[in-house]
Amino acid sequence: MSLRYLTAGETHGPQLTAIIEGLPSHLQLDFEALNFELARRQKGYGRGRRMQIEKDTAKIVGGVRHGYTTGAPVALVVENNDWKHWQKIMNIEPIEGTDEEKRRVHRPRPGHADLNGGLKYNHKDLRNVLERSSARETAIRVAVGAVAKQLLERFGIRIAGHVIRIGEIEAPPHNLPLDELARVTEASSVRVADPETEKKMEAYIDKIKQEGDSIGGIVECIVEGVPVGLGSHVQYDRKLDGRIAQAVMSINAFKGVEIGIGFEAGKLPGSKVHDEILYSEERGYYRATNRLGGFEGGMTNGMPIVVRGVMKPIPTLYKPLQSVDIDTREAFAAQVERSDACAVPAASVVLEHVVAWEVAKAFLEKFGGDSIEEIERNYRGYLAQLEEY
Ligand SMILES: Cc1cc2nc3c(=O)[nH]c(=O)nc-3n(C[C@H](O)[C@H](O)[C@H](O)COP(=O)(O)O)c2cc1C
């Protein structure tokens, strides 16, 4: 059975829920590490009040006993602490009350799912769309990805994410080892390695906020310790770079994805794009450079996986954008109660976790077994085969 998960839940509902199926037995889970990842998603300069209201924690309600997975589906819950204020509005059973009491939404926000979802599902209350389309759902995706991350760590595969750009401010290149990058960016309010850039980004976000605007950016994720041969060239839906691209594009507000040098590859001659193959006793086969970001033919090549994603500016602006009321079909300028000005640092945490999931899934497809011990045997056997090759 391949690894899979589904999520359910609304942004102002009682909780977000996920069921993961296909995890092996005997994976030891570190609950503190899981909650640490959720806290990481909530941090970041430019985020609004909700992040202070919500202190997310994941509760495991199935599939784990005495700290270890049993092989049964793992059920995860992240409660919405704000639920107490929304119980009536989000009531499961019918309620009496005016549109106002039900907080009916009839003014679709540009850049959101509101209007498309309303038309598609024939909802005259756009709350039925926005409650689910909200990026709040990324909290439970981070919880799911955090489990995947722990599985990968068990096999020496590590991940770090960071911010490359916020609006006009770009972080300079760095040569930090992965662990150091993770440590340094964790201490940064905008998840960049360079303190000068951090200051510039903070000032830039302040300026954007003052103007009633919002700003996006570019985030990057690096995966190290990946063996050769995850994914496959033989079928379109087994190409792991393609699957990672889909996962990245599925993050709210992401409008583009690159692997390695990505779009730069369209500007450069082949000699400056392809990575030459080398061999040494110590490393086996490896590449002289890693411009292709760890992939050739939809398979990992043993070099670090490098994935970038671009996030558009948050669509809810204090500076009102024009839209049309679905009751009156008249134009109005969208009013905003509260919104983040920039969620790029948080998005880099989400990126790490959706990528971790895809890599873990491909890892289990290749070395799959019902228990960690079985996977370990399969993995060791493969590594021995590579050595003999
Ligand atoms: C971590 C994160 C936080 C976000 N926070 C907000 C927000 O506070 N306000 C907002 O309007 N959009 C926010 N978004 C973006 C919207 O959820 C997203 O633009 C919307 O659901 C429409 O989907 P699309 O942009 O993928 O088409 C956030 C996205 C992410 C990844």
Side-chain angles (χ1 to χ4, degrees), residues 17 34-35 75 86 109 123 152 256 355:
T17 309
L34 221 150
N35 286 329
W86 290 83
R109 300 161 304 163
H123 284 308
L152 293 175
V355 171

Side-chain angles (χ1 to χ4, degrees), residues 37 40 145 149 152-153 156-164 171-185 191-193 218-227 230 240 244 248 254 257-261 289-295 300-309 347-357 359-360:
E37 299 293 357
R40 290 179 69 221
K149 236 179 172 183
L152 293 175
E153 270 162 23
I157 300 172
R158 294 162 304 123
I159 300 192
H162 65 128
V163 170
I164 297 280
H174 65 83
N175 277 323
L176 296 172
L178 194 80
D179 290 343
E180 186 63 4
L181 177 69
R183 196 186 61 74
V184 173
T185 54
R191 296 198 175 278
V192 287
I218 299 176
V219 290
E220 183 179 82
C221 162
I222 303 155
V223 192
E224 277 188 14
V226 188
L230 298 190
L240 182 55
I244 287 175
V248 175
F254 274 59
V257 56
E258 292 185 322
I259 308 272
I261 62 168
T289 49
N290 189 26
R291 297 158 182 153
L292 296 181
F295 282 102
T300 52
N301 62 12
M303 298 297 283
I305 296 176
V306 182
V307 185
R308 289 182 175 195
S348 87
V349 177
V350 181
L351 175 75
E352 273 176 42
H353 287 84
V354 305
V355 171
W357 175 266
V359 176

Side-chain angles (χ1 to χ4, degrees), residues 30 44 72 95 101 113 200 225 247 251 291-292 307 320 325 350 377:
D30 178 340
I95 59 157
E101 282 167 338
K200 282 189 206 158
I251 305 172
R291 297 158 182 153
L292 296 181
V307 185
D325 191 307
V350 181
R377 275 199 303 277

Side-chain angles (χ1 to χ4, degrees), residues 41 47 109 111-113 133-135 138 249 251-255 311-312 314-316 339-340 343 346-347 350:
R41 192 198 71 96
R47 305 221 62 194
R109 300 161 304 163
H112 275 282
S133 70
S134 161
T138 59
M249 285 299 291
I251 305 172
N252 306 53
F254 274 59
K255 299 307 282 184
M311 182 188 193
K312 73 181 184 185
I314 276 172
T316 311
S339 179
D340 299 349
V350 181

